[in-house]
Amino acid sequence: MQTAPALSMPIPGHIDPVPVPRALVPRSDGRIDLLGLSKADLRMALETSQLDPKQAKLRAKQLWHWIYNRGVTDFALMTDISKAMQPWLEQRFTISRPQVVEAQVSTDGTRKWLLRTDDGNDYEMVFIPDADRGTLCVSSQVGCTLNCRFCHTGTMRLVRNLTPGEIVGQVMLARDALGEWPSQPEGRMLTNIVMMGMGEPLYNFDNVRDGLKIVMDGDGIGLSRRRITLSTSGVVPLMARAGEEISVNLAVSLHAVTNEIRDEIVPINRKYKLEQVLQACADYPGANNARRITFEYVMLKDKNDSDADARELVRLLKKYDLPAKVNLIPFNPWPGAPYECSTPERIKSFSNIVFDAGISAPVRTPRGRDIDAACGQLKTASEKRSRAELDRLAEEKQAALG
Ligand code: SAH
Ligand code: SF4
Protein backbone atom coordinates (compact mmCIF):
# COMPACT_ATOMS: atom_id res chain seq x y z
CA MET A 1 0.00 0.00 0.00
CA GLN A 2 1.11 3.54 -0.67
CA THR A 3 1.84 5.87 2.18
CA ALA A 4 -0.50 8.82 2.04
CA PRO A 5 1.04 12.19 1.30
CA ALA A 6 -0.11 14.91 3.69
CA LEU A 7 -3.06 16.76 2.19
CA SER A 8 -2.49 20.13 3.66
CA MET A 9 -0.10 22.95 3.07
CA PRO A 10 1.23 25.27 5.75
CA ILE A 11 -1.29 27.96 6.50
CA PRO A 12 -0.50 31.26 8.15
CA GLY A 13 -3.64 31.06 10.25
CA HIS A 14 -4.19 30.24 13.89
CA ILE A 15 -4.78 26.52 13.26
CA ASP A 16 -3.23 24.18 10.72
CA PRO A 17 -5.76 22.17 8.77
CA VAL A 18 -5.93 18.54 9.74
CA PRO A 19 -4.19 16.30 7.22
CA VAL A 20 -6.33 13.46 5.94
CA PRO A 21 -5.29 10.41 3.93
CA ARG A 22 -5.49 10.67 0.19
CA ALA A 23 -6.23 8.55 -2.86
CA LEU A 24 -5.81 4.79 -2.86
CA VAL A 25 -5.90 4.55 0.88
CA PRO A 26 -8.67 2.05 1.64
CA ARG A 27 -11.59 3.02 3.84
CA SER A 28 -12.27 1.25 7.12
CA ASP A 29 -14.08 -1.56 5.24
CA GLY A 30 -10.95 -2.17 3.16
CA ARG A 31 -12.45 -0.86 -0.08
CA ILE A 32 -11.05 2.00 -2.10
CA ASP A 33 -13.37 4.89 -2.90
CA LEU A 34 -13.21 5.64 -6.61
CA LEU A 35 -14.92 9.01 -6.31
CA GLY A 36 -12.40 11.81 -6.63
CA LEU A 37 -9.59 9.74 -8.18
CA SER A 38 -8.05 11.22 -11.30
CA LYS A 39 -8.30 9.17 -14.49
CA ALA A 40 -4.72 8.01 -13.99
CA ASP A 41 -5.32 7.06 -10.35
CA LEU A 42 -8.46 5.19 -11.27
CA ARG A 43 -6.47 3.10 -13.71
CA MET A 44 -3.75 2.60 -11.14
CA ALA A 45 -6.29 1.44 -8.56
CA LEU A 46 -7.38 -1.29 -10.97
CA GLU A 47 -3.83 -2.26 -11.84
CA THR A 48 -2.93 -2.43 -8.16
CA SER A 49 -5.78 -4.95 -7.85
CA GLN A 50 -4.03 -7.14 -10.44
CA LEU A 51 -5.90 -6.21 -13.60
CA ASP A 52 -3.50 -6.26 -16.52
CA PRO A 53 -2.77 -2.78 -17.92
CA LYS A 54 -4.88 -3.21 -21.05
CA GLN A 55 -7.92 -4.39 -19.08
CA ALA A 56 -7.36 -1.68 -16.49
CA LYS A 57 -7.35 0.98 -19.18
CA LEU A 58 -10.61 -0.23 -20.69
CA ARG A 59 -12.35 -0.69 -17.32
CA ALA A 60 -11.20 2.70 -16.10
CA LYS A 61 -12.76 4.32 -19.14
CA GLN A 62 -16.04 2.49 -18.58
CA LEU A 63 -16.08 3.26 -14.89
CA TRP A 64 -15.38 6.94 -15.50
CA HIS A 65 -18.38 7.12 -17.80
CA TRP A 66 -20.69 5.34 -15.37
CA ILE A 67 -19.55 7.38 -12.39
CA TYR A 68 -19.42 10.88 -13.86
CA ASN A 69 -21.67 10.79 -16.89
CA ARG A 70 -24.40 8.52 -15.58
CA GLY A 71 -24.13 9.14 -11.84
CA VAL A 72 -24.23 5.41 -11.07
CA THR A 73 -22.92 4.24 -7.68
CA ASP A 74 -23.83 0.54 -7.98
CA PHE A 75 -21.50 -1.70 -10.01
CA ALA A 76 -24.40 -4.08 -10.71
CA LEU A 77 -26.00 -1.40 -12.91
CA MET A 78 -22.97 -1.06 -15.17
CA THR A 79 -24.34 -3.02 -18.07
CA ASP A 80 -21.24 -3.11 -20.25
CA ILE A 81 -19.21 -4.65 -17.44
CA SER A 82 -19.58 -8.41 -17.28
CA LYS A 83 -21.71 -10.05 -14.59
CA ALA A 84 -18.59 -11.85 -13.35
CA MET A 85 -16.61 -8.66 -13.03
CA GLN A 86 -19.25 -6.69 -11.12
CA PRO A 87 -18.86 -8.52 -7.76
CA TRP A 88 -15.07 -8.36 -8.19
CA LEU A 89 -15.34 -4.59 -8.35
CA GLU A 90 -17.88 -4.48 -5.53
CA GLN A 91 -15.50 -6.33 -3.19
CA ARG A 92 -12.62 -3.96 -3.78
CA PHE A 93 -14.14 -0.60 -4.54
CA THR A 94 -16.94 1.76 -3.69
CA ILE A 95 -18.35 4.96 -5.21
CA SER A 96 -19.27 7.25 -2.39
CA ARG A 97 -21.45 10.26 -1.75
CA PRO A 98 -21.12 12.65 1.18
CA GLN A 99 -23.46 11.70 3.99
CA VAL A 100 -26.44 14.06 4.23
CA VAL A 101 -27.22 15.09 7.80
CA GLU A 102 -29.89 17.65 6.94
CA ALA A 103 -31.42 19.21 3.82
CA GLN A 104 -33.28 22.51 4.00
CA VAL A 105 -35.23 24.60 1.49
CA SER A 106 -35.62 28.37 1.78
CA THR A 107 -38.81 30.25 0.95
CA ASP A 108 -36.92 31.63 -2.08
CA GLY A 109 -36.07 28.14 -3.38
CA THR A 110 -32.45 28.13 -2.18
CA ARG A 111 -31.42 24.74 -0.82
CA LYS A 112 -28.82 23.99 1.80
CA TRP A 113 -27.33 20.63 2.72
CA LEU A 114 -25.47 19.82 5.89
CA LEU A 115 -22.96 17.11 4.97
CA ARG A 116 -20.69 14.87 7.01
CA THR A 117 -17.33 13.38 6.12
CA ASP A 118 -16.42 9.78 6.96
CA ASP A 119 -14.40 11.02 9.92
CA GLY A 120 -17.34 12.97 11.29
CA ASN A 121 -16.71 16.55 10.18
CA ASP A 122 -19.64 18.68 9.08
CA TYR A 123 -19.68 21.08 6.16
CA GLU A 124 -22.30 22.69 3.96
CA MET A 125 -23.24 23.27 0.35
CA VAL A 126 -25.90 25.53 -1.12
CA PHE A 127 -27.86 25.47 -4.39
CA ILE A 128 -29.26 28.76 -5.67
CA PRO A 129 -31.81 28.42 -8.49
CA ASP A 130 -32.46 31.40 -10.78
CA ALA A 131 -34.64 31.81 -13.84
CA ASP A 132 -31.80 31.26 -16.30
CA ARG A 133 -29.25 29.36 -14.25
CA GLY A 134 -28.61 27.28 -11.13
CA THR A 135 -25.52 27.88 -9.04
CA LEU A 136 -23.97 25.41 -6.65
CA CYS A 137 -21.92 26.99 -3.89
CA VAL A 138 -19.26 24.43 -3.00
CA SER A 139 -17.12 24.21 0.17
CA SER A 140 -13.39 23.59 0.04
CA GLN A 141 -12.66 23.15 3.75
CA VAL A 142 -14.44 22.31 6.98
CA GLY A 143 -14.26 25.77 8.57
CA CYS A 144 -11.62 28.28 7.51
CA THR A 145 -8.23 29.13 8.98
CA LEU A 146 -8.73 32.76 8.14
CA ASN A 147 -11.02 34.84 10.26
CA CYS A 148 -12.55 37.66 8.32
CA ARG A 149 -14.45 39.60 10.93
CA PHE A 150 -17.79 39.66 9.10
CA CYS A 151 -17.83 35.94 8.24
CA HIS A 152 -19.46 33.26 10.39
CA THR A 153 -17.36 30.47 8.86
CA GLY A 154 -14.29 32.34 10.08
CA THR A 155 -15.38 31.76 13.68
CA MET A 156 -15.30 27.96 13.26
CA ARG A 157 -12.49 26.25 15.07
CA LEU A 158 -12.12 22.89 13.40
CA VAL A 159 -10.43 23.07 10.05
CA ARG A 160 -9.68 20.27 7.70
CA ASN A 161 -9.15 20.33 3.99
CA LEU A 162 -11.81 18.54 1.96
CA THR A 163 -10.47 15.83 -0.35
CA PRO A 164 -11.03 15.91 -4.13
CA GLY A 165 -13.69 13.21 -3.58
CA GLU A 166 -15.49 15.34 -1.01
CA ILE A 167 -15.36 18.35 -3.34
CA VAL A 168 -16.63 16.45 -6.40
CA GLY A 169 -19.02 14.62 -4.05
CA GLN A 170 -20.91 17.86 -3.47
CA VAL A 171 -21.52 18.26 -7.20
CA MET A 172 -22.54 14.60 -7.53
CA LEU A 173 -24.98 14.86 -4.63
CA ALA A 174 -26.55 18.05 -6.00
CA ARG A 175 -27.04 16.39 -9.37
CA ASP A 176 -28.55 13.33 -7.68
CA ALA A 177 -30.99 15.63 -5.91
CA LEU A 178 -31.82 17.51 -9.10
CA GLY A 179 -32.21 14.30 -11.12
CA GLU A 180 -29.56 15.42 -13.59
CA TRP A 181 -28.14 12.13 -14.85
CA PRO A 182 -26.92 11.41 -17.43
CA SER A 183 -24.88 14.56 -18.13
CA GLN A 184 -26.38 16.55 -20.98
CA PRO A 185 -24.82 19.51 -22.75
CA GLU A 186 -28.14 21.42 -22.73
CA GLY A 187 -31.04 22.02 -20.37
CA ARG A 188 -29.19 21.63 -17.10
CA MET A 189 -30.46 22.99 -13.79
CA LEU A 190 -27.01 23.04 -12.21
CA THR A 191 -25.25 25.32 -14.69
CA ASN A 192 -22.65 27.11 -12.56
CA ILE A 193 -20.32 26.37 -9.68
CA VAL A 194 -18.85 28.90 -7.29
CA MET A 195 -16.12 27.94 -4.82
CA MET A 196 -17.70 30.24 -2.24
CA GLY A 197 -18.85 27.85 0.44
CA MET A 198 -16.82 27.20 3.56
CA GLY A 199 -13.10 27.65 3.42
CA GLU A 200 -10.38 29.38 1.47
CA PRO A 201 -9.99 27.34 -1.75
CA LEU A 202 -6.43 28.47 -2.40
CA TYR A 203 -5.33 27.07 0.97
CA ASN A 204 -6.46 23.69 -0.29
CA PHE A 205 -5.04 24.23 -3.74
CA ASP A 206 -4.20 20.69 -4.89
CA ASN A 207 -7.49 19.16 -3.84
CA VAL A 208 -9.57 21.99 -5.27
CA ARG A 209 -7.66 21.77 -8.54
CA ASP A 210 -7.98 17.98 -8.74
CA GLY A 211 -11.67 18.07 -7.80
CA LEU A 212 -12.49 20.79 -10.33
CA LYS A 213 -10.56 18.97 -13.07
CA ILE A 214 -12.93 16.05 -12.61
CA VAL A 215 -15.95 18.37 -12.71
CA MET A 216 -14.69 19.91 -15.97
CA ASP A 217 -13.76 16.64 -17.67
CA GLY A 218 -15.65 16.29 -20.95
CA ASP A 219 -16.13 12.51 -20.59
CA GLY A 220 -18.00 13.02 -17.33
CA ILE A 221 -19.82 15.97 -15.81
CA GLY A 222 -18.35 18.26 -18.45
CA LEU A 223 -19.00 21.63 -16.87
CA SER A 224 -17.13 24.38 -18.69
CA ARG A 225 -14.39 26.25 -16.83
CA ARG A 226 -16.20 29.43 -17.90
CA ARG A 227 -19.05 28.45 -15.62
CA ILE A 228 -16.87 27.91 -12.58
CA THR A 229 -15.71 30.72 -10.31
CA LEU A 230 -13.12 30.43 -7.59
CA SER A 231 -13.29 33.02 -4.84
CA THR A 232 -10.24 33.91 -2.79
CA SER A 233 -9.65 36.29 0.06
CA GLY A 234 -6.34 37.15 -1.62
CA VAL A 235 -3.79 34.33 -1.28
CA VAL A 236 -1.39 36.16 -3.57
CA PRO A 237 1.28 33.46 -4.14
CA LEU A 238 -1.31 30.98 -5.43
CA MET A 239 -3.41 33.22 -7.65
CA ALA A 240 -1.22 32.82 -10.74
CA ARG A 241 -1.16 29.05 -10.27
CA ALA A 242 -4.95 29.02 -10.03
CA GLY A 243 -5.07 30.77 -13.40
CA GLU A 244 -2.55 28.45 -15.00
CA GLU A 245 -3.55 25.10 -13.53
CA ILE A 246 -7.31 25.45 -13.08
CA SER A 247 -8.10 28.44 -15.36
CA VAL A 248 -11.54 29.09 -13.97
CA ASN A 249 -13.01 32.57 -13.39
CA LEU A 250 -11.54 34.48 -10.51
CA ALA A 251 -13.39 36.33 -7.78
CA VAL A 252 -11.51 38.29 -5.14
CA SER A 253 -12.93 39.27 -1.78
CA LEU A 254 -11.68 42.84 -1.69
CA HIS A 255 -14.09 44.43 0.80
CA ALA A 256 -11.95 47.50 1.51
CA VAL A 257 -9.92 50.12 -0.35
CA THR A 258 -7.28 50.91 2.26
CA ASN A 259 -4.82 48.61 3.99
CA GLU A 260 -5.94 49.98 7.33
CA ILE A 261 -9.56 48.84 6.95
CA ARG A 262 -8.68 45.66 5.06
CA ASP A 263 -6.19 44.65 7.78
CA GLU A 264 -9.06 44.84 10.22
CA ILE A 265 -11.82 43.06 8.33
CA VAL A 266 -9.84 40.64 6.11
CA PRO A 267 -6.84 39.78 8.31
CA ILE A 268 -4.94 37.94 5.55
CA ASN A 269 -4.28 41.48 4.31
CA ARG A 270 -1.65 41.80 7.02
CA LYS A 271 0.32 39.24 5.04
CA TYR A 272 -0.65 40.07 1.45
CA LYS A 273 -1.37 43.76 1.03
CA LEU A 274 -4.06 45.36 -1.08
CA GLU A 275 -1.56 46.46 -3.74
CA GLN A 276 -0.15 42.93 -4.01
CA VAL A 277 -3.65 41.50 -4.39
CA LEU A 278 -4.50 43.99 -7.14
CA GLN A 279 -1.21 43.32 -8.92
CA ALA A 280 -1.88 39.56 -8.79
CA CYS A 281 -5.28 40.28 -10.34
CA ALA A 282 -3.66 42.34 -13.10
CA ASP A 283 -1.34 39.37 -13.76
CA TYR A 284 -4.10 36.74 -13.61
CA PRO A 285 -3.78 34.55 -16.70
CA GLY A 286 -6.81 34.65 -18.94
CA ALA A 287 -8.46 37.73 -17.48
CA ASN A 288 -9.73 40.07 -20.20
CA ASN A 289 -12.81 42.10 -20.99
CA ALA A 290 -14.74 39.01 -21.93
CA ARG A 291 -13.66 37.23 -18.74
CA ARG A 292 -13.67 39.83 -16.03
CA ILE A 293 -12.46 39.43 -12.49
CA THR A 294 -15.22 39.79 -9.92
CA PHE A 295 -14.43 41.96 -6.91
CA GLU A 296 -16.63 41.11 -3.99
CA TYR A 297 -17.39 43.92 -1.62
CA VAL A 298 -19.44 43.32 1.51
CA MET A 299 -21.35 46.45 2.55
CA LEU A 300 -20.64 47.21 6.21
CA LYS A 301 -22.29 50.23 7.78
CA ASP A 302 -19.85 53.10 8.45
CA LYS A 303 -16.89 50.82 7.82
CA ASN A 304 -16.27 50.61 4.08
CA ASP A 305 -19.39 52.09 2.48
CA SER A 306 -18.83 55.84 1.95
CA ASP A 307 -18.91 57.65 -1.40
CA ALA A 308 -15.20 58.32 -0.94
CA ASP A 309 -14.62 54.54 -0.61
CA ALA A 310 -16.53 53.99 -3.85
CA ARG A 311 -14.43 56.59 -5.66
CA GLU A 312 -11.23 55.08 -4.30
CA LEU A 313 -12.37 51.65 -5.48
CA VAL A 314 -12.84 53.03 -8.99
CA ARG A 315 -9.44 54.70 -8.87
CA LEU A 316 -7.70 51.48 -7.82
CA LEU A 317 -9.43 49.32 -10.44
CA LYS A 318 -8.45 51.84 -13.14
CA LYS A 319 -4.92 52.27 -11.84
CA TYR A 320 -4.28 48.53 -12.20
CA ASP A 321 -6.22 48.50 -15.47
CA LEU A 322 -8.35 45.61 -14.30
CA PRO A 323 -11.11 44.03 -16.39
CA ALA A 324 -13.43 44.17 -13.40
CA LYS A 325 -16.97 43.81 -12.23
CA VAL A 326 -17.91 44.60 -8.67
CA ASN A 327 -20.37 42.51 -6.69
CA LEU A 328 -21.84 44.48 -3.82
CA ILE A 329 -22.96 42.04 -1.13
CA PRO A 330 -25.26 43.39 1.57
CA PHE A 331 -23.81 42.12 4.84
CA ASN A 332 -25.64 39.01 6.03
CA PRO A 333 -25.95 39.09 9.79
CA TRP A 334 -25.32 36.20 12.17
CA PRO A 335 -25.63 36.00 15.96
CA GLY A 336 -22.94 38.08 17.63
CA ALA A 337 -21.62 39.61 14.41
CA PRO A 338 -19.71 42.82 15.10
CA TYR A 339 -21.14 44.73 12.10
CA GLU A 340 -24.37 45.97 10.60
CA CYS A 341 -25.42 46.09 6.99
CA SER A 342 -25.25 49.44 5.20
CA THR A 343 -28.59 51.11 4.46
CA PRO A 344 -30.15 50.44 1.04
CA GLU A 345 -29.67 54.14 0.13
CA ARG A 346 -25.95 53.94 0.97
CA ILE A 347 -25.53 50.79 -1.09
CA LYS A 348 -27.37 52.41 -4.02
CA SER A 349 -25.17 55.48 -3.86
CA PHE A 350 -21.99 53.37 -3.72
CA SER A 351 -23.20 51.27 -6.64
CA ASN A 352 -24.05 54.38 -8.72
CA ILE A 353 -20.58 55.85 -8.31
CA VAL A 354 -18.90 52.64 -9.49
CA PHE A 355 -21.43 52.19 -12.27
CA ASP A 356 -21.02 55.79 -13.51
CA ALA A 357 -17.31 55.09 -13.88
CA GLY A 358 -18.20 52.38 -16.40
CA ILE A 359 -17.79 49.38 -14.11
CA SER A 360 -20.71 47.05 -13.54
CA ALA A 361 -21.65 47.03 -9.85
CA PRO A 362 -24.81 45.02 -9.18
CA VAL A 363 -26.10 44.65 -5.65
CA ARG A 364 -26.47 40.98 -4.89
CA THR A 365 -29.86 39.95 -3.57
CA PRO A 366 -29.28 37.85 -0.48
CA ARG A 367 -30.53 34.31 -1.00
CA GLY A 368 -31.58 31.77 1.58
CA ARG A 369 -31.16 34.06 4.58
CA ASP A 370 -34.02 32.31 6.40
CA ILE A 371 -32.09 29.02 6.44
CA ASP A 372 -28.71 30.68 7.08
CA ALA A 373 -27.55 29.81 3.58
CA ALA A 374 -26.50 33.29 2.48
CA CYS A 375 -22.88 34.41 1.96
CA GLY A 376 -20.90 34.21 5.14
CA GLN A 377 -23.60 32.49 7.18
CA LEU A 378 -22.31 28.95 6.80
CA LYS A 379 -21.17 27.45 10.05
CA THR A 380 -21.41 23.92 11.41
CA ALA A 381 -20.97 22.44 14.84
CA SER A 382 -17.57 20.89 14.06
CA GLU A 383 -15.43 21.72 17.03
CA LYS A 384 -11.83 22.23 17.66
CA ARG A 385 -9.87 19.13 18.53
CA SER A 386 -6.56 19.38 20.26
CA ARG A 387 -3.37 18.52 18.42
CA ALA A 388 -2.85 15.59 20.82
CA GLU A 389 -6.30 14.23 20.02
CA LEU A 390 -5.64 14.57 16.29
CA ASP A 391 -2.34 12.73 16.58
CA ARG A 392 -4.04 9.96 18.53
CA LEU A 393 -6.81 9.65 15.90
CA ALA A 394 -4.22 9.53 13.11
CA GLU A 395 -2.32 6.78 14.95
CA GLU A 396 -5.49 4.77 15.50
CA LYS A 397 -6.35 5.05 11.83
CA GLN A 398 -2.88 3.98 10.80
CA ALA A 399 -3.05 1.00 13.17
CA ALA A 400 -6.45 -0.01 11.78
CA LEU A 401 -5.04 0.00 8.28
CA GLY A 402 -2.17 -2.24 9.34
N1 SAH B 1 -13.07 32.09 1.40
C1 SAH B 1 -13.39 32.60 0.14
C2 SAH B 1 -14.71 32.09 -0.41
C3 SAH B 1 -15.87 31.92 0.53
S1 SAH B 1 -16.77 33.31 1.10
C4 SAH B 1 -13.40 34.10 0.14
O1 SAH B 1 -13.37 34.67 1.20
O2 SAH B 1 -13.39 34.68 -0.93
C5 SAH B 1 -17.75 33.93 -0.26
C6 SAH B 1 -17.99 35.46 -0.16
O3 SAH B 1 -18.89 35.81 0.90
C7 SAH B 1 -16.70 36.21 0.13
O4 SAH B 1 -16.59 37.35 -0.67
C8 SAH B 1 -16.90 36.58 1.57
O5 SAH B 1 -16.07 37.63 1.92
C9 SAH B 1 -18.36 36.90 1.61
N2 SAH B 1 -18.91 36.97 2.97
C10 SAH B 1 -18.42 36.38 4.09
N3 SAH B 1 -19.21 36.66 5.15
C11 SAH B 1 -20.21 37.44 4.70
C12 SAH B 1 -21.37 38.02 5.33
N4 SAH B 1 -21.62 37.84 6.62
N5 SAH B 1 -22.20 38.75 4.55
C13 SAH B 1 -21.96 38.88 3.23
N6 SAH B 1 -20.91 38.35 2.58
C14 SAH B 1 -20.04 37.63 3.32
FE1 SF4 C 1 -12.60 32.27 5.26
FE2 SF4 C 1 -13.71 33.47 3.12
FE3 SF4 C 1 -14.95 33.52 5.51
FE4 SF4 C 1 -12.72 34.94 5.14
S1 SF4 C 1 -14.69 35.22 4.09
S2 SF4 C 1 -13.18 33.65 6.93
S3 SF4 C 1 -11.55 33.58 3.80
S4 SF4 C 1 -14.54 31.69 4.28
Side-chain angles (χ1 to χ4, degrees), residues 137-138 140-141 144 146 148-153 195-202 230-234 251-255 266 295-300 329-334 337 364 369 374-378:
C137 183
V138 170
S140 56
Q141 299 181 309
C144 185
L146 302 173
C148 302
R149 288 201 66 198
F150 47 82
C151 175
H152 210 190
T153 309
M195 296 302 298
M196 294 187 187
M198 293 176 153
E200 167 48 58
L202 294 188
L230 184 149
S231 175
T232 180
S233 56
V252 173
S253 296
L254 202 65
H255 304 318
V266 187
F295 290 90
E296 289 154 291
Y297 201 97
V298 62
M299 299 301 294
L300 303 173
I329 318 176
F331 169 65
N332 292 308
W334 37 273
R364 248 207 241 166
R369 265 189 180 172
C375 294
Q377 291 189 314
L378 304 184

Side-chain angles (χ1 to χ4, degrees), residues 124-193:
E124 293 178 323
M125 75 169 186
V126 175
F127 180 69
I128 307 146
D130 277 303
D132 57 341
R133 57 163 67 188
T135 307
L136 187 69
C137 183
V138 170
S139 290
S140 56
Q141 299 181 309
V142 175
C144 185
T145 48
L146 302 173
N147 28 26
C148 302
R149 288 201 66 198
F150 47 82
C151 175
H152 210 190
T153 309
T155 66
M156 278 181 68
R157 307 308 297 270
L158 180 72
V159 180
R160 116 133 151 70
N161 283 336
L162 293 175
T163 63
E166 288 157 351
I167 292 167
V168 180
Q170 296 172 63
V171 182
M172 303 299 280
L173 199 69
R175 302 195 71 198
D176 291 348
L178 296 167
E180 290 220 286
W181 303 112
S183 287
Q184 308 274 9
E186 302 293 329
R188 295 185 185 205
M189 286 167 78
L190 198 175
T191 57
N192 293 64
I193 288 178

Side-chain angles (χ1 to χ4, degrees), residues 18-29:
V18 181
V20 287
R22 191 152 186 192
L24 302 196
V25 175
R27 306 178 335 152
S28 52
D29 65 2

Side-chain angles (χ1 to χ4, degrees), residues 2-3 11 24 54 82-83 98 196 250 267 319 329 340 354 365 372 375 390:
Q2 289 202 324
T3 44
I11 288 187
L24 302 196
K54 213 169 140 228
S82 73
K83 283 264 180 287
M196 294 187 187
L250 182 68
K319 179 178 172 198
I329 318 176
E340 279 176 64
V354 180
T365 318
D372 288 341
C375 294
L390 292 168

Side-chain angles (χ1 to χ4, degrees), residues 58-105:
L58 169 72
R59 298 299 177 204
K61 199 163 179 254
Q62 291 171 316
L63 283 165
W64 189 272
H65 179 82
W66 283 112
I67 297 172
Y68 297 113
N69 184 276
R70 307 291 289 267
V72 167
T73 53
D74 182 352
F75 296 106
L77 298 176
M78 301 182 176
T79 46
D80 57 359
I81 295 179
S82 73
K83 283 264 180 287
M85 180 106 201
Q86 289 168 353
W88 183 90
L89 288 166
E90 181 77 44
Q91 273 166 17
R92 290 164 180 80
F93 304 109
T94 178
I95 302 160
S96 76
R97 290 290 188 269
Q99 184 192 332
V100 178
V101 181
E102 194 182 1
Q104 287 173 280
V105 185

